[in-house]
Amino acid sequence: MKHQVAGRKLSRPTAQRWALYRNLVSELFQHEKIVTTEAKAREVKGLAEKVITLGKEGGLASRRQALQFVTDKKTVDKVFAQLASRYKDRPGGYTRMLKLGSRVGDNAPLARLELVE
């Protein structure tokens, strides 16, 4: 039974899956929008929102927690400086997922994950 087991495996080993999540979250913060499959977008959405919440807290411990997940220091600086001030009055819901249809090669459902203005 799958009691209290959340998330998708995405046909990858655990380490590879977490590396994928880290890269997608980093790219989302750098470019403020990414196009990926719906399943990946659904998984990354919650992780990105948690990092932005850490940025809003703004302390040293929060910065170190964010650096454990997003290992690029410039990206974390952007989260703590720009994105935290952008979302200071917003209680949550920092990302938006838009469905784009299907990919041509394998008919996978695509989605665009973007940061809300």
Side-chain angles (χ1 to χ4, degrees):
M1 291 186 208
K2 283 188 61 173
H3 295 300
Q4 296 185 357
V5 178
R8 294 164 179 81
K9 290 187 178 180
L10 299 175
S11 300
R12 288 169 170 79
T14 305
Q16 191 179 37
R17 185 170 55 247
W18 278 105
L20 171 74
Y21 293 160
R22 287 172 147 170
N23 288 331
L24 286 173
V25 169
S26 297
E27 291 296 315
L28 176 63
F29 291 147
Q30 288 173 6
H31 302 290
E32 299 195 2
K33 60 184 171 185
I34 56 172
V35 176
T36 183
T37 62
E38 279 185 36
K40 291 176 190 173
R42 287 180 198 272
E43 288 297 313
V44 168
K45 184 174 185 174
L47 297 171
E49 298 210 1
K50 287 179 184 176
V51 174
I52 292 174
T53 303
L54 287 172
K56 285 175 60 175
E57 291 172 9
L60 179 61
S62 299
R63 183 176 291 268
R64 287 178 175 166
Q65 283 180 338
L67 278 168
Q68 282 181 346
F69 188 73
V70 180
T71 56
D72 184 22
K73 189 176 181 313
K74 289 182 181 179
T75 304
V76 172
D77 289 341
K78 180 178 178 179
V79 170
F80 276 72
Q82 296 175 5
L83 299 180
S85 62
R86 183 193 304 180
Y87 299 125
K88 66 181 177 205
D89 296 328
R90 194 176 183 100
Y94 314 117
T95 58
R96 172 187 304 130
M97 188 179 86
L98 301 169
K99 295 182 181 183
L100 297 178
S102 298
R103 189 161 48 200
V104 175
D106 59 355
N107 204 27
L110 291 179
R112 179 172 54 217
L113 189 64
E114 58 188 21
L115 296 175
V116 177
E117 291 299 321

